[in-house]
Amino acid sequence: MSPAAREPTVHEFGPPSPQTVKLGGRTRRYWLPIARGWRMTPRGIRMLQRVMDPTDHVPILKGTAVEKATIGGVRCERVRARRAMKDHPEQPAPASPRDGEPLVLYLHGGGYVFGSVRTHRGLVARLSHVTGLPAVSVDYRLPPEWILPAPIEDALAVYRAVLEHTDASRIVVAGDSAGGNLAHQLVLHAAEAGLPMPAALVLLSPWSDLSASGESIRLNAAEDPFIPEVGLRRCARVAAGGKDPRDWRISPLFAPEELQAQLPPTLVQVGAGEVLRDDGARVAHALAAAGVPATLEVYEGALHVVPAWAGTPEARDALHRIADFVADLLPGAPEPDAAAADEATDRDADGIVPGPPGAPGRT
């Protein structure tokens, strides 16, 4: 492979939209003081989880079906947005993917200290809608009772169980922030175990280096309105639990090249001004250097996890590009629909339709 081929494909987008500029200002004023001062003691972690985790009545795209499920012994949610209901688009249907049906396996973020399938249900529903695919969202174990490698064990157990019904070539693995770390860890551990690779990997602002060695941790500390450096370091100490944060089983950026080389085509999306910009950029470069087709998308002024901020043009564009990426790689994936990203980021479209009580896999 030529040296030029061992670089990621890079796309840069900007300037930031007025909606994102306004959102960043509000987030900086109201969220950052809280995030900077939160102590990651066991009591503080439990309180954070209670504050951040909503009830089951989470606003999501209208027409979305949601089912609770246990997959591979791990709590999960199956999510199918309206556009993923090809057989009966006019009415809600069970979210359970059918045997052999392509799907998105999603790992939520939250700094490895909070977050759940509920906090990320809206984002997962939007991803299901733009890709036209059902999704399985993993409710992996968290502190204070559990730290790494427990989340990796959970993700791998779910992946093994999904492989019993769906060929790996019809699976997309995706995750954001700590979930981006976990999505990367999942495919690395799957490669190490000799399991087949998924068709694609999508990493949204991945937290790939818990040692905080990326320059953007410091360079963007004053610009990032969402993640304070002190908060990131506190979360890393909890997640690593005293282990070396440069161990690749903690920070997948440092995985051996022979494992990285086995990974599928990867899309990485980051905000140019976020502290985790270099975590995502370095992962894209490491994968490309190992021979993996890697695409890095950098959004000027965008907040952490670009497609999560419904109502912004950046979220719409990021979702549309994820849909294009998936459609190019996944056999049987629906053709991208330009209108789907608009629908998925329209705040007026939010609502909730739970899966039917008797649906398979419901607990």
Side-chain angles (χ1 to χ4, degrees):
M1 182 176 295
S2 68
R6 299 180 78 93
E7 292 289 328
T9 300
V10 180
H11 301 287
E12 297 181 346
F13 305 94
S17 67
Q19 296 95 316
T20 288
V21 172
K22 185 176 180 180
L23 179 64
R26 288 203 310 266
T27 305
R28 183 174 288 105
R29 285 194 302 272
Y30 299 116
W31 167 250
L32 266 189
I34 297 172
R36 285 178 178 140
W38 208 284
R39 300 295 180 182
M40 293 302 169
T41 61
R43 182 173 178 270
I45 291 170
R46 291 190 180 96
M47 186 179 300
L48 180 64
Q49 291 167 353
R50 288 197 298 271
V51 169
M52 297 298 292
D53 204 338
T55 67
D56 276 336
H57 300 287
V58 182
I60 56 174
L61 291 175
K62 291 178 181 177
T64 299
V66 177
E67 296 170 357
K68 295 178 182 179
T70 299
I71 302 174
V74 180
R75 291 180 301 180
C76 299
E77 277 189 352
R78 294 186 174 111
V79 178
R80 187 188 293 267
R82 187 180 70 254
R83 189 166 170 266
M85 299 178 190
K86 307 179 193 68
D87 296 338
H88 303 283
E90 74 286 351
Q91 60 183 358
S96 303
R98 300 168 182 85
D99 281 359
E101 186 177 32
L103 59 85
V104 176
L105 178 60
Y106 196 82
L107 291 313
H108 69 78
Y112 277 131
V113 296
F114 71 96
S116 71
V117 294
R118 294 171 297 280
T119 61
H120 285 63
R121 191 181 290 157
L123 175 56
V124 173
R126 293 195 289 276
L127 288 170
S128 173
H129 187 68
V130 297
T131 61
L133 301 174
V136 171
S137 183
V138 182
D139 210 8
Y140 56 87
R141 289 171 290 173
L142 291 173
E145 292 82 9
W146 301 99
I147 58 173
L148 290 167
I152 301 169
E153 294 167 354
D154 290 349
L156 195 57
V158 174
Y159 186 64
R160 288 180 183 274
V162 169
L163 287 176
E164 295 177 6
H165 304 284
T166 302
D167 190 87
S169 66
R170 298 169 72 78
I171 299 171
V172 175
V173 173
D176 69 278
S177 197
N181 176 307
L182 184 52
H184 194 175
Q185 290 277 14
L186 168 58
V187 290
L188 288 169
H189 282 75
E192 185 181 48
L195 297 175
M197 287 291 96
L201 180 62
V202 177
L203 306 178
L204 309 176
S205 298
W207 187 26
S208 302
D209 173 14
L210 272 65
S211 74
S213 65
E215 288 188 1
S216 62
I217 299 290
R218 287 159 290 281
L219 293 179
N220 289 345
E223 182 178 349
D224 192 323
F226 193 75
I227 300 180
E229 181 182 354
V230 63
L232 194 69
R233 293 182 183 276
R234 287 170 182 162
C235 289
R237 284 196 294 270
V238 171
K243 303 181 186 72
D244 181 1
R246 291 186 64 87
D247 184 331
W248 74 264
R249 298 179 192 276
I250 302 293
S251 300
L253 172 65
F254 305 119
E257 184 170 316
E258 58 267 25
L259 282 181
Q260 304 276 32
Q262 299 180 51
L263 269 54
T266 300
L267 171 64
V268 181
Q269 293 181 341
V270 295
E274 61 172 319
V275 295
L276 294 183
R277 179 199 65 199
D278 285 358
D279 279 40
R282 288 186 297 162
V283 160
H285 281 274
L287 292 177
V292 175
T295 299
L296 172 64
E297 296 181 354
V298 184
Y299 292 78
E300 183 184 347
L303 278 68
H304 181 58
V305 187
V306 183
W309 302 91
T312 67
E314 289 83 358
R316 178 198 62 213
D317 294 345
L319 286 167
H320 182 71
R321 297 184 72 86
I322 292 170
D324 287 345
F325 178 76
V326 169
D328 286 344
L329 293 168
L330 202 65
E335 288 297 316
D337 181 352
D342 290 332
E343 295 169 353
T345 53
D346 181 359
R347 290 189 181 278
D348 293 334
D350 283 355
I352 184 165
V353 179
R362 192 173 182 87
T363 56

